[in-house]
Amino acid sequence: PRDLSEVDNLLEKYKGKEDELFSKLASNFHAINPLKIRTIEQQVDYRQALTAFFEENDHSKVDEVDAILAKTAGKEAILFSVLAEKYQATNGLDANLKARLADQACNDYISLLQLYL
């Protein structure tokens, strides 16, 4: 809260270099860089993952995949967590996480969270 007065100054200073700003802020505050999260999310084929999940757990829902994804846009990670709990099944995004872990070094839980989301 005490740094809120600096927001406008920082945005002006890093105008056009927002990636650098958010990277530094994430590092300084041991937080997730929100710009990277969006990039990672775009790499996940939620339609394929949800279709595969329903094919395994509730075939009657396969035809509803597009409607479900449209309704939950931007909250896909939550959707998969809720479905895993509801069906007492493996989270449909686990395969994506495992594929990312093969190529990444995780130094802490924040890094792991970035790979999962």
Side-chain angles (χ1 to χ4, degrees), residues 49-50 53 80 84 90-96 116:
L50 188 56
F53 180 87
F80 279 93
T90 301
N91 188 310
L93 297 179
D94 282 356
N96 291 300
Y116 191 77

Side-chain angles (χ1 to χ4, degrees), residues 71-83:
K71 186 177 179 180
T72 59
K75 302 174 191 164
E76 292 87 354
I78 295 168
L79 169 68
F80 279 93
S81 293
V82 169
L83 290 173

Side-chain angles (χ1 to χ4, degrees), residues 10 19-33:
L10 282 172
D19 289 345
E20 181 183 348
L21 170 63
F22 280 103
S23 180
K24 285 182 178 183
L25 289 171
S27 178
N28 288 347
F29 292 99
H30 303 286
I32 297 171
N33 182 336

Side-chain angles (χ1 to χ4, degrees), residues 8 25 30 34 36 38 40 43 49-50 57 68 77-78 107 112 115:
D8 290 332
L25 289 171
H30 303 286
K36 289 193 177 203
R38 282 190 220 111
I40 291 169
Q43 296 172 1
L50 188 56
N57 296 288
I68 293 168
I78 295 168
N107 299 324
L112 184 61
L115 290 171

Side-chain angles (χ1 to χ4, degrees), residues 39-75:
T39 301
I40 291 169
E41 285 179 355
Q42 291 170 354
Q43 296 172 1
V44 175
D45 185 348
Y46 291 118
R47 186 176 192 285
Q48 185 276 329
L50 188 56
T51 299
F53 180 87
F54 281 138
E55 284 175 346
E56 186 173 321
N57 296 288
D58 187 351
H59 202 276
S60 69
K61 298 283 188 185
V62 171
D63 292 337
E64 299 175 35
V65 166
D66 290 328
I68 293 168
L69 289 174
K71 186 177 179 180
T72 59
K75 302 174 191 164

Side-chain angles (χ1 to χ4, degrees), residues 8-22 24:
D8 290 332
N9 293 337
L10 282 172
L11 289 174
E12 185 61 35
K13 179 179 177 181
Y14 285 92
K15 190 172 187 171
K17 300 184 285 182
E18 289 82 4
D19 289 345
E20 181 183 348
L21 170 63
F22 280 103
K24 285 182 178 183

